[in-house]
Amino acid sequence: MHGQKRAEYKARLLHPDTRAKLGSKAQQWNHLSEELLKQRRRLFSSPPPLSDIDTRGKANEGNAAAAAPSPEVLLALTEKMLSVNPDPSHLWNIRREMLVYLIQTAPPSAMNTTDDDQEGVDNDSSAKSSILDIEVELKLTAHCLQRNPKSYSAWFHRKWALVYFMNGSTSQQEHWTNMKSILQSELELCVQFLQLDERNFHCWNFRRFVVGLLGSSGGSDVTTTSENDGEVNNDDDEPTTTSAVDNFSGSWSAWMHQIEEEDKEVWMGPQISQNACRAVGMSTGSKDGSSDAIKSTTPLSKRELEKIIMNEWDFSTAKIQDNFSNGSAFHYRSKLLPLVLEFRSSGDSASSPSEAYEAISLARDEWDAILLDAIFTEPDDQTIWFYHRFIVTWARRNTVVVDGADAEVTEEFEGLLYDMVDSIQELIDVEKEDSFEGNTQDRHESKGAKCKWAYLGMHLVLSTLLEFKSNEVDDEDKIELRERTKECLDELMRIDPDRRERYQILESKLYR
Amino acid sequence: MAEASQDVYDVIICGTDLIQSILSSALSRAGKKVLHCDGNDWYGGFDAVLYGGGTLDLFVEQCMENQRQEDNKNAVADVSDGVLESETNFISILPKEKYASLRLHSQTILGQTNDKTTSADVVAKDDTVESKIEKLAIHNDAVDGEGGEDSSHASNNNLQAPAPSNSIDDDQVDGFSLDISPCLLYASGDAVEGMVKSGVSDYLEFKSVEGLFVLMAEDDSTKSTSRKVNRHRNKRGDTSEKVDDKTLNEKPLVSYRVPCSKADVFRSKLLSPVDKRRLMKFLQLITDYGMVMASQSTEVAADDDDTLNDNNNEEEIPSTSTNNNGDDAIQSVNERHLHRGRALSRPQNKATPSSSDMESLIRCVRDGVSFSDFLRTVVKLPDRLAVVVVYALALSPFGYNTNDANNGPMSDAMARVSKYSTKDGVEDLLLHVTALGRFGNTAFLTAMYGSGELSQAFCRSGAVYGSTYMLRRPPLRITFEKDSPRVSGVVLGGEGIAGFEDGLDQEILCEHVIVPSTMIDPSVVRNAVRTRTYRRISILRGKLVKAEREQNDTDNSSETEQRYAIIIPPGTRGLSNQSAIHVLAFDDSVCVSPRGKQYTVLHLTMTSPEDCDSHDVFDETLGKAVHHLIESQLSTNEEASSVEECHHVSFSFTSDSPNNITENSQTTGLHIAYRDTQSITCDSAFREAKRIFDKICPDADFLGLSKKVEDEIVYRNEEDSDDEKVVLDSAVTMIEAPLSTSTASQEEVKPTQDEQPIDNN
């Protein structure tokens, strides 16, 4: 679509032939929608006898009442319609409704034929999953997402299918292994989608979701020797997601609502954090209620978790290397940072520096390896400055340790901040200099090179330094810092008059 | 085909080099009656692709032949060689083995050498050539620094026997396709435009070049930043490796990815942060300049901004009004130039560049400031970075002058080629920069099976439009009308046609003759400057460039595929090359080496500013360059030690560039085609072809498709199947059919899954 004039595009659409074609398609679509809703209504107004034998019998012999709509037809219809237009969420809802309906009304006898591993197991959950053909749903959603990579409802359906499939079954090892390979291929799919559009936040979200599932999907029997108890005994200890599935009524909003009630975070990925913490043997602190939100069959070994996390870390690095103007990638990184820190600082017990120290050095790595190069490559890109802001505040938070400030940590953090000041100052100097004339004096601010973000970043670093030293007496250093901070704000007021008031407030705080 | 009738042709084209092939296709499209002849058995002339075990041997043999003749009757022949003789009214064309005074410098024999290959026979026949080549072979060994193990090779007095481990198996020899003049294409530029427009691209396949590198000595200034990092590492107790300054000099050269796009600059290990900023600003300024120039010539097609505007610069740029226009042009970039590469585009919150920067650039272009001075004093790039800009971004073989008096006075020729104005530099840069971000990681495409395929494709399309082709018929003379500067025809040699015994020469009449400068005696092309292009084709065992690890996550497929361009700037330590050396490395991913075998074909090209006799020096330099290239990869990867050169051929030929285009005003109908000196892309061939085309057909469309073909294509596109409709139709039939039973519906479900194109992943 790029590179063609809108007028041409419009003209093509308004061409009688095209219009006729589109018109006939629209008619077909409307006809299908009506028919679909009608059939669904009929299906539920006259529910088929719940006796299993009757249902199957009808299906097999095919001589039952012609009027009774079949869920299979509705399923096929939604598939066709959705592959043309993946957006209408009511179609997805109907699809899920039918899938669940079919599974719930299916006789247990059908289960034996579909899944031969489960003969011995006779509980509800095993009966449920065996009918959802995950491959069909994955294929359909993949096709829909190719058509529209930003279709909320298609992405959601994919998530739903994965979770439904994952939780529907027993906690048999084989199932988990199978699930793992599915999840791995989901990660591959994310790679492909992000290759096409590196800023597709739907896909980034989905990736975090998949990684979350992967993290709670249980360890493989090979490596989990120390952490697990050797036995798989979680039949009555289902993941919470199952309860959501149990009560699933087929509607998206109800689904989301339910999840919110239980634990919003489960869906955003922290389950892996939970697992990580448990495996590493650390307390997560704040999350008391949610700590048993997800219990996988077998907790992942620390090494496995580290592998997953570091793989994601490297992935975000690679994406940022491709194009650092990518808020999603930085956001992902910010979510991964605490986990990476855990792995880093839990190395050799005695000799390794404290976690706080490790946090600072991680922040420094981010500064050296990514931020510094990025701000010098394109200082007007907000994305990097936001990440810079995150890194500074995150590192600042990490300097506050339980047993008071560690002198070494403090020194290291200050060193990092001073390095930042130097580099940003250097950037401002290069930007400000009228490079072709060599003078920095009569530069017209209106003609580019305002460096607003550099000043903002500078202000952040300077004020963090000041805040850091707030307990010290006013020595020369501090006075100079304050002076520079004020200069920064003054400059910002000049080049960004729209936010003048904000800068004034910031300035007033300086001398408080 | 061989029936050269007595018809009068509109145009006779001599030689099937790329420029002539493009012209042949373009002129026949424009309705001209074209005769296209070549003395060789194959298409392509100096742009041909040679096949191991076939045309390669013929080519080498031809080189030998030429050399032998020259050595035997050295001073005798030169006098009589065709000068424009006004009484006889003709210009003679050189015999085909003398085109561009081709010379062979050194070679090893391709293939297992027990059976004597043809070229080996030639060597054996002639003592002088043999000894000369052998001497060079020794040189190369010494250069390789592995004289010890290879000394048997040198002392053997037998050129045919390279070390057995090095040789290529006989059955693999014919898997090699070696270009005489390999070239890339800008992913967006004259070449691609011409091929898309003409439909010739349908005959060809392309792949993207994976990386553009520059091979340089490591620099101290980059050390300083890493030291800064190290300081903190030390605090933590890590012991950082101390850099010993003395060993620095013996360190192998390092190949850096050339920072072209924003991502490249960001990733580059070559640049300090401040340099990154300066380079980005500069590159963005260049793109803006391109936009401004494009917007100022709205009457010209939008894509021709690079070449066509330049003549108008003086009149069209009053410096005051420019600024406003320029700003407007840049701010509306998104609307007007979305189809251009956006590898350097600014973030949306900052569309305006500094207009004072633009003013100074325009001033420098107008005042003819040298590009080196511009980069150094105005853009304030450090020397090292300026070198990268001139040689690896503008891709000029010459042109960066350090203001260093120590270098001593330059030779006249050197001074001439070193004239590289800001205008030239900016234009070359624009060609590169606008082609970025179009396809793959670099601005370049490469043709599968060798770039020689290009000329063949154009010849084929020429034949479709009615050009007459004659191979094995060398043009001998261009004749003129009596007492008139008007071309009357071309005499074709009859020899070489099988079964055509008397080999009668035949004069064929025409109005225009197109002949490359390389085919006629230098004395005829009076205004031209003659340079000599040195080439070395090396076949390496193993992959030269190792995959970068960070990249592996996103594209595994191209991990070890070798499609790289490497630039070695002039005066590189240990080489002291006068011009930049352009290196292209390809492997079986573009089918130039046997499939599945770990060979890399390496093309090295450099230019001597004058056609001098010190061939040995150049040959040696290229040999060293190969050595350095292999070594530079060694430092990053131990496996690279398995990479070794197992065959090479080294030769040189001349090319001419006109001093000013007002050529041969005393003749009409004679058009001399000049090949560009050492251009890494073949886009210049399209420009040269267009120049000549416009002279012959001033008002015609260059390389346009015929109406009929175009309609066909439009029709074809319209017939694209509408899968939405198919699916909807099937859904409608599903509910309309009496589907009361679920068995029937289940049958329906199956086929729908098949008919949907959803199994793509």
Side-chain angles (χ1 to χ4, degrees):
Chain A
M1 282 298 159
H2 287 307
Q4 61 175 322
K5 289 204 172 74
R6 184 164 172 77
E8 287 170 14
Y9 175 69
K10 278 276 177 194
R12 217 154 359 94
L13 283 186
L14 291 174
H15 190 271
D17 291 355
T18 327
R19 280 175 76 172
K21 260 187 210 167
L22 287 174
S24 78
K25 271 194 228 170
Q27 261 179 355
Q28 277 182 325
W29 176 267
N30 288 338
H31 176 54
L32 286 169
S33 302
E34 276 169 27
E35 196 61 29
L36 183 75
L37 292 175
K38 217 190 291 170
Q39 288 206 16
R40 172 177 174 269
R41 226 173 290 127
R42 266 198 294 163
L43 180 72
F44 286 108
S45 63
S46 62
L50 279 174
S51 148
D52 294 323
I53 300 111
D54 278 7
T55 331
R56 288 324 285 184
K58 237 189 263 174
N60 292 335
E61 285 153 37
N63 51 10
S70 88
E72 285 92 349
V73 173
L74 289 175
L75 211 54
L77 269 181
T78 53
E79 177 173 330
K80 280 170 191 275
M81 291 179 74
L82 285 167
S83 60
V84 171
N85 176 9
D87 285 322
S89 52
H90 73 282
L91 290 181
W92 289 109
N93 279 340
I94 293 175
R95 183 173 182 81
R96 282 190 288 272
E97 197 176 46
M98 292 306 132
L99 286 168
V100 174
Y101 178 85
L102 278 173
I103 289 167
Q104 278 172 350
T105 57
S109 58
M111 183 266 297
N112 281 338
T113 55
T114 45
D115 199 340
D116 39 11
D117 286 332
Q118 316 230 335
E119 272 142 327
V121 194
D122 247 341
N123 58 23
D124 286 336
S125 59
S126 70
K128 270 187 275 162
S129 85
S130 48
I131 284 187
L132 178 66
D133 189 348
I134 185 84
E135 287 303 322
V136 171
E137 302 309 305
L138 292 182
K139 238 178 159 183
L140 173 67
T141 43
H143 172 66
C144 292
L145 290 170
Q146 274 178 354
R147 180 147 286 187
N148 178 8
K150 298 197 172 180
S151 164
Y152 282 89
S153 31
W155 282 112
F156 175 75
H157 185 78
R158 203 174 174 87
K159 286 185 187 175
W160 175 85
L162 284 172
V163 173
Y164 198 92
F165 180 72
M166 187 166 168
N167 287 323
S169 167
T170 54
S171 43
Q172 291 207 348
Q173 201 69 44
E174 194 176 326
H175 175 68
W176 286 117
T177 328
N178 181 24
M179 198 61 214
K180 262 192 184 165
S181 73
I182 290 177
L183 291 175
Q184 284 299 343
S185 65
E186 290 303 288
L187 289 184
E188 281 306 303
L189 178 105
C190 289
V191 170
Q192 286 185 23
F193 268 97
L194 292 175
Q195 191 87 49
L196 295 173
D197 177 3
E198 62 218 353
R199 297 196 264 200
N200 185 343
F201 65 85
H202 301 265
C203 188
W204 281 103
N205 253 337
F206 183 71
R207 189 176 176 98
R208 293 209 296 137
F209 167 83
V210 171
V211 169
L213 284 187
L214 207 54
S216 55
S217 69
S220 67
D221 37 5
V222 192
T223 42
T224 54
T225 46
S226 59
E227 276 84 11
N228 72 358
D229 305 332
E231 292 302 315
V232 180
N233 55 354
N234 285 349
D235 280 6
D236 40 17
D237 205 22
E238 293 280 0
T240 44
T241 45
T242 315
S243 63
V245 174
D246 279 338
N247 304 325
F248 182 62
S249 62
S251 115
W252 182 4
S253 51
W255 168 264
M256 286 321 270
H257 182 65
Q258 196 167 15
I259 287 158
E260 267 169 39
E261 277 181 354
E262 279 166 20
D263 185 1
K264 210 184 304 179
E265 285 183 309
V266 168
W267 299 97
M268 301 307 287
Q271 58 268 64
I272 194 161
S273 160
Q274 300 284 326
N275 265 312
C277 295
R278 204 154 16 142
V280 178
M282 276 195 276
S283 76
T284 38
S286 64
K287 296 159 188 142
D288 32 74
S290 60
S291 61
D292 46 13
I294 279 269
K295 277 180 195 136
S296 72
T297 52
T298 313
L300 284 175
S301 73
K302 185 193 162 196
R303 190 180 306 141
E304 280 175 307
L305 278 171
E306 180 166 5
K307 210 178 134 208
I308 294 173
I309 296 294
M310 291 324 284
N311 184 41
E312 294 307 295
W313 183 252
D314 293 344
F315 179 73
S316 75
T317 314
K319 279 292 157 197
I320 289 166
Q321 297 273 316
D322 284 348
N323 179 6
F324 60 79
S325 184
N326 187 340
S328 299
F330 277 119
H331 172 248
Y332 196 21
R333 219 171 160 77
S334 73
K335 290 283 172 192
L336 290 169
L337 207 58
L339 296 174
V340 173
L341 176 62
E342 273 170 22
F343 290 121
R344 270 219 199 177
S345 54
S346 66
D348 334 329
S349 50
S351 63
S352 70
S354 69
E355 185 181 334
Y357 188 91
E358 202 60 55
I360 306 299
S361 87
L362 191 55
R364 174 175 286 286
D365 284 353
E366 291 296 278
W367 168 254
D368 281 338
I370 293 179
L371 286 167
L372 184 62
D373 283 341
I375 61 170
F376 273 88
T377 306
E378 187 47 271
D380 290 307
D381 197 319
Q382 312 174 29
T383 324
I384 26 172
W385 289 109
F386 280 125
Y387 189 58
H388 174 243
R389 193 158 284 263
F390 170 81
I391 285 291
V392 170
T393 45
W394 180 79
R396 170 85 181 87
R397 234 186 1 252
N398 271 287
T399 54
V400 188
V401 224
V402 199
D403 26 321
D406 182 346
E408 203 185 18
V409 173
T410 319
E411 188 195 344
E412 185 67 15
F413 184 53
E414 271 184 35
L416 174 61
L417 290 177
Y418 274 117
D419 278 358
M420 285 180 177
V421 170
D422 290 349
S423 297
I424 299 175
Q425 188 58 51
E426 199 176 14
L427 171 71
I428 290 173
D429 290 345
V430 178
E431 277 294 270
K432 282 287 166 185
E433 86 186 2
D434 192 338
S435 63
F436 292 171
E437 302 297 331
N439 74 42
T440 51
Q441 297 308 310
D442 14 303
R443 170 123 202 138
H444 295 292
E445 296 298 348
S446 61
K447 294 183 177 174
K450 288 182 182 178
C451 283
K452 176 186 152 185
W453 289 96
Y455 280 110
L456 273 175
M458 183 71 132
H459 170 260
L460 171 77
V461 177
L462 289 173
S463 55
T464 311
L465 264 175
L466 272 176
E467 188 193 329
F468 209 67
K469 293 184 174 209
S470 56
N471 293 333
E472 295 171 19
V473 281
D474 278 16
D475 56 359
E476 263 177 45
D477 275 0
K478 224 175 148 184
I479 291 166
E480 195 208 322
L481 277 178
R482 198 170 283 145
E483 217 33 56
R484 287 183 76 174
T485 319
K486 187 178 178 311
E487 277 169 28
C488 245
L489 288 169
D490 288 346
E491 180 70 20
L492 277 167
M493 280 183 233
R494 265 198 301 281
I495 60 181
D496 187 19
D498 291 349
R499 290 168 196 79
R500 196 183 172 79
E501 304 293 324
R502 180 188 167 205
Y503 302 130
Q504 271 167 353
I505 290 176
L506 287 175
E507 194 169 303
S508 70
K509 280 183 184 163
L510 264 183
Y511 295 99
R512 205 174 282 164
Chain B
M1 156 180 153
E3 288 306 313
S5 59
Q6 287 306 310
D7 293 351
V8 175
Y9 283 88
D10 292 324
V11 188
I12 295 181
I13 302 175
C14 304
T16 52
D17 306 56
L18 182 55
I19 298 172
Q20 294 101 291
S21 303
I22 298 167
L23 274 166
S24 159
S25 178
L27 289 168
S28 53
R29 279 159 201 268
K32 297 288 176 195
K33 192 174 176 192
V34 177
L35 176 67
H36 200 170
C37 60
D38 193 311
N40 285 322
D41 203 4
W42 60 86
Y43 286 95
F46 277 95
D47 295 309
V49 56
L50 304 170
Y51 302 101
T55 41
L56 177 64
D57 295 337
L58 290 174
F59 175 76
V60 168
E61 198 177 338
Q62 196 169 298
C63 300
M64 300 275 200
E65 182 71 24
N66 177 28
Q67 229 145 310
R68 195 158 49 231
Q69 282 180 9
E70 258 178 51
D71 288 345
N72 287 348
K73 40 174 185 174
N74 221 344
V76 193
D78 279 3
V79 192
S80 66
D81 262 9
V83 188
L84 177 60
E85 290 149 65
S86 49
E87 319 89 58
T88 46
N89 262 343
F90 67 81
I91 298 176
S92 42
I93 293 176
L94 298 171
K96 70 176 180 187
E97 59 274 6
K98 288 204 180 231
Y99 290 167
S101 51
L102 182 67
R103 280 185 151 270
L104 185 76
H105 303 308
S106 66
Q107 73 149 345
T108 53
I109 307 303
L110 186 59
Q112 203 54 274
T113 51
N114 297 336
D115 330 310
K116 283 145 225 124
T117 57
T118 40
S119 44
D121 281 339
V122 175
V123 175
K125 271 188 229 158
D126 193 292
D127 287 346
T128 53
V129 177
E130 186 189 20
S131 60
K132 183 171 184 177
I133 288 173
E134 198 215 317
K135 187 183 80 196
L136 286 165
I138 297 167
H139 264 301
N140 289 333
D141 288 342
V143 168
D144 284 344
E146 292 157 1
E149 63 177 67
D150 274 2
S151 59
S152 60
H153 170 188
S155 62
N156 210 353
N157 256 1
N158 189 355
L159 189 75
Q160 308 171 19
S165 67
N166 271 351
S167 60
I168 298 164
D169 292 342
D170 251 350
D171 54 338
Q172 291 170 15
V173 165
D174 52 3
F176 288 101
S177 311
L178 308 174
D179 277 304
I180 301 179
S181 309
C183 65
L184 306 172
L185 292 84
Y186 280 124
S188 136
D190 300 281
V192 165
E193 198 202 345
M195 278 193 301
V196 170
K197 194 175 164 196
S198 62
V200 172
S201 52
D202 288 353
Y203 299 137
L204 298 160
E205 272 185 90
F206 297 92
K207 283 194 174 175
S208 68
V209 172
E210 288 299 306
L212 173 67
F213 291 94
V214 59
L215 189 71
M216 295 177 96
E218 217 169 333
D219 187 53
D220 312 334
S221 61
T222 51
K223 280 284 175 303
S224 63
T225 52
S226 64
R227 206 171 294 141
K228 194 170 157 192
V229 177
N230 282 339
R231 191 182 71 214
H232 300 283
R233 287 283 169 280
N234 285 336
K235 258 191 187 173
R236 268 178 56 182
D238 293 349
T239 47
S240 72
E241 206 176 306
K242 209 182 168 194
V243 185
D244 193 340
D245 284 346
K246 276 175 196 164
T247 59
L248 211 65
N249 272 336
E250 283 100 58
K251 268 192 163 178
L253 302 175
V254 185
S255 66
Y256 299 97
R257 197 173 262 276
V258 176
C260 306
S261 64
K262 194 167 89 178
D264 290 339
V265 173
F266 172 54
R267 278 187 295 217
S268 177
K269 302 198 167 41
L270 180 71
L271 308 168
S272 74
V274 173
D275 288 346
K276 289 188 180 193
R277 187 79 283 269
R278 292 198 200 277
L279 184 63
M280 270 306 283
K281 270 169 111 175
F282 171 65
L283 290 176
Q284 283 172 340
L285 178 69
I286 296 296
T287 29
D288 292 338
Y289 178 80
M291 298 294 176
V292 173
M293 290 296 109
S295 76
Q296 282 181 354
S297 55
T298 38
E299 77 277 9
V300 181
D303 278 291
D304 287 348
D305 53 346
D306 312 318
T307 45
L308 287 167
N309 293 307
D310 316 328
N311 310 332
N312 309 338
N313 277 352
E314 280 86 345
E315 304 94 68
E316 285 202 5
I317 311 175
S319 59
T320 46
S321 68
T322 311
N323 301 327
N324 300 328
N325 294 344
D327 284 355
D328 290 348
I330 293 154
Q331 270 162 354
S332 60
V333 157
N334 272 339
E335 286 78 47
R336 294 185 309 106
H337 289 286
L338 260 182
H339 63 287
R340 285 177 170 273
R342 288 194 286 176
L344 289 164
S345 59
R346 293 189 172 78
Q348 284 173 342
N349 65 347
K350 194 200 177 194
T352 339
S354 154
S355 56
S356 60
D357 292 355
M358 183 65 76
E359 278 168 38
S360 350
L361 171 58
I362 289 172
R363 198 166 55 240
C364 287
V365 167
R366 195 182 47 218
D367 298 348
V369 176
S370 91
F371 196 42
S372 325
D373 289 342
F374 174 73
L375 290 177
R376 204 168 25 234
T377 60
V378 183
V379 190
K380 298 204 192 96
L381 296 180
D383 256 352
R384 192 174 150 79
L385 188 50
V387 163
V388 174
V389 169
V390 170
Y391 298 111
L393 278 164
L395 292 163
S396 163
F398 297 103
Y400 186 71
N401 316 312
T402 45
N403 257 359
D404 230 356
N406 311 345
N407 285 355
M410 275 188 289
S411 70
D412 284 352
M414 201 59 210
R416 194 177 54 235
V417 293
S418 301
K419 261 185 217 152
Y420 194 54
S421 71
T422 306
K423 187 164 153 253
D424 299 335
V426 169
E427 277 160 17
D428 287 346
L429 261 176
L430 265 175
L431 292 178
H432 188 176
V433 160
T434 49
L436 280 169
R438 303 303 300 250
F439 186 71
N441 297 331
T442 61
F444 306 107
L445 305 177
T446 177
M448 299 274 284
Y449 309 100
S451 54
E453 292 288 311
L454 280 172
S455 42
Q456 292 187 40
F458 275 100
C459 286
R460 197 188 306 180
S461 90
V464 168
Y465 281 89
S467 287
T468 305
Y469 277 84
M470 287 184 164
L471 291 186
R472 298 178 296 271
R473 304 265 339 238
L476 300 179
R477 287 185 294 280
I478 300 165
T479 54
F480 288 84
E481 283 173 11
K482 250 197 162 45
D483 306 321
S484 145
R486 172 163 283 282
V487 164
S488 68
V490 172
V491 177
L492 295 188
E495 49 197 309
I497 298 178
F500 197 62
E501 282 168 24
D502 49 359
L504 274 180
D505 296 350
Q506 187 179 14
E507 181 173 5
I508 298 172
L509 302 180
C510 65
E511 281 177 39
H512 296 277
V513 173
I514 296 169
V515 64
S517 65
T518 47
M519 277 197 191
I520 44 185
D521 193 86
S523 52
V524 179
V525 198
R526 291 225 170 72
N527 283 326
V529 177
R530 176 151 283 211
T531 54
R532 184 167 270 275
T533 303
Y534 289 85
R535 295 266 301 109
R536 181 188 179 99
I537 305 173
S538 292
I539 293 172
L540 307 185
R541 190 188 304 281
K543 306 277 188 189
L544 178 69
V545 181
K546 300 295 167 191
E548 296 154 309
R549 278 186 194 83
E550 299 93 353
Q551 298 257 307
N552 288 354
D553 282 292
T554 45
D555 46 344
N556 276 321
S557 58
S558 54
E559 196 178 347
T560 54
E561 290 187 0
Q562 300 288 300
R563 294 191 300 276
Y564 292 101
I566 305 163
I567 310 292
I568 308 178
T572 296
R573 191 191 67 216
L575 289 175
S576 52
N577 42 333
Q578 276 181 295
S579 82
I581 302 175
H582 292 168
V583 186
L584 298 177
F586 296 121
D587 67 354
D588 59 344
S589 65
V590 283
C591 305
V592 297
S593 68
R595 186 158 284 285
K597 304 284 188 282
Q598 300 274 304
Y599 289 115
T600 305
V601 175
L602 210 59
H603 289 281
L604 292 90
T605 313
M606 71 185 291
T607 304
S608 154
E610 50 197 332
D611 187 9
C612 56
D613 277 333
S614 50
H615 303 309
D616 300 4
V617 180
F618 289 94
D619 180 39
E620 197 176 308
T621 305
L622 288 180
K624 276 190 211 167
V626 171
H627 181 67
H628 279 299
L629 280 167
I630 294 174
E631 211 178 42
S632 75
Q633 297 299 319
L634 262 177
S635 60
T636 55
N637 196 320
E638 303 76 31
E639 290 169 47
S641 57
S642 61
V643 177
E644 54 184 355
E645 186 180 29
C646 44
H647 169 74
H648 83 269
V649 53
S650 161
F651 54 91
S652 70
F653 52 85
T654 59
S655 56
D656 310 279
S657 49
N659 256 344
N660 43 0
I661 299 286
T662 58
E663 62 168 67
N664 293 37
S665 49
Q666 71 270 36
T667 62
T668 45
L670 177 64
H671 307 276
I672 299 180
Y674 296 99
R675 10 173 357 108
D676 204 8
T677 37
Q678 199 186 343
S679 170
I680 203 164
T681 66
C682 58
D683 290 54
S684 59
F686 286 77
R687 289 192 287 277
E688 176 71 3
K690 176 126 175 35
R691 180 183 69 83
I692 295 174
F693 178 84
D694 285 344
K695 276 207 225 151
I696 299 175
C697 306
D699 301 317
D701 186 24
F702 181 62
L703 282 176
L705 281 175
S706 75
K707 187 82 183 91
K708 197 176 141 214
V709 178
E710 200 160 8
D711 288 348
E712 193 101 329
I713 290 172
V714 170
Y715 179 73
R716 206 198 301 159
N717 288 343
E718 271 180 2
E719 284 302 289
D720 269 350
S721 67
D722 186 350
D723 60 324
E724 284 184 10
K725 193 160 166 40
V726 173
V727 175
L728 282 177
D729 281 347
S730 82
V732 169
T733 49
M734 198 170 101
I735 51 168
E736 275 167 1
L739 287 175
S740 49
T741 64
S742 46
T743 35
S745 70
Q746 271 169 347
E747 279 164 23
E748 279 294 321
V749 178
K750 284 279 177 234
T752 55
Q753 282 165 21
D754 297 336
E755 76 200 28
Q756 282 166 24
I758 58 178
D759 34 14
N760 288 356
N761 46 336

